[in-house]
Amino acid sequence: MARSFEYKHPTTYAEIVEAETRAHARRRAELAKAEKMIRAIESDLKALCDQRVPYAVSSYSMCLVDVRDDISGRAQYAVRIAGGIFFETRDLLPRALVALGWIAERVKLSKYDSTVVFRRPKTQVRVQVDASVELGTALTKSEACT
């Protein structure tokens, strides 16, 4: 039987340092797991940087996510890249990926935003980004989305 764990907020300096050390170790493990895919997209990240397209490297970005369609299928991993947090800059990253030749493989629409999985042609390298509903709908209707 699993133990129940009650979260205790750190209150002393030693507890705060210990909590941050654990968080840092988790993040390093996420980056190590995603290293192969991140190295595969380094040239595209440099191109995005040269175009001044914002993307994050924080805790909710640059980690592997499973993007398979159904639970019974084979796992398909993508690097999650968080774009701009502001509404005006949200579509810059997906549009730049399309301009770099990435193919919109899958689009999941929700009420307020959409999640797009892009794949580099002729490879298994995938990235997942957020986009507006309008851009997600346009990518769904385009012939680039398979």
Side-chain angles (χ1 to χ4, degrees):
M1 186 165 151
R3 275 182 163 177
S4 64
F5 176 75
E6 186 175 323
Y7 174 75
K8 181 179 177 277
H9 198 71
T11 55
T12 65
Y13 176 76
E15 290 174 347
I16 292 168
V17 169
E18 183 182 334
E20 288 303 311
T21 303
R22 281 194 311 270
H24 181 69
R26 278 193 303 272
R27 180 65 180 147
R28 296 268 315 220
E30 284 178 351
L31 288 172
K33 191 174 167 185
E35 179 182 7
K36 185 177 178 182
M37 296 275 277
I38 293 171
R39 288 190 185 274
I41 63 171
E42 280 180 347
S43 61
D44 294 313
L45 293 175
K46 176 146 179 38
L48 293 172
C49 187
D50 292 343
Q51 296 173 15
R52 299 194 185 275
V53 175
Y55 62 88
V57 294
S58 61
S59 57
Y60 296 107
S61 186
M62 300 299 166
C63 55
L64 286 182
V65 291
D66 190 357
V67 295
R68 63 183 151 188
D69 282 333
D70 59 348
I71 196 71
S72 63
R74 190 177 67 105
Q76 292 180 341
Y77 290 103
V79 175
R80 169 103 177 108
I81 303 177
I85 60 169
F86 300 109
F87 189 75
E88 298 83 20
T89 61
R90 178 170 38 179
D91 287 343
L92 289 177
L93 181 60
R95 290 181 192 278
L97 288 172
V98 169
L100 289 173
W102 287 75
I103 299 168
E105 185 177 68
R106 204 172 291 137
V107 179
K108 291 184 182 176
L109 297 171
S110 69
K111 188 174 182 179
Y112 300 108
D113 64 352
S114 61
T115 304
V116 184
V117 175
F118 286 100
R119 182 178 50 82
R120 186 185 287 159
K122 299 181 183 179
T123 66
Q124 294 296 315
V125 178
R126 292 179 175 84
V127 296
Q128 181 188 48
V129 298
D130 292 330
S132 66
V133 176
E134 294 80 18
L135 182 62
T137 305
L139 289 171
T140 303
K141 292 179 181 176
S142 72
E143 295 175 358
C145 188
T146 57

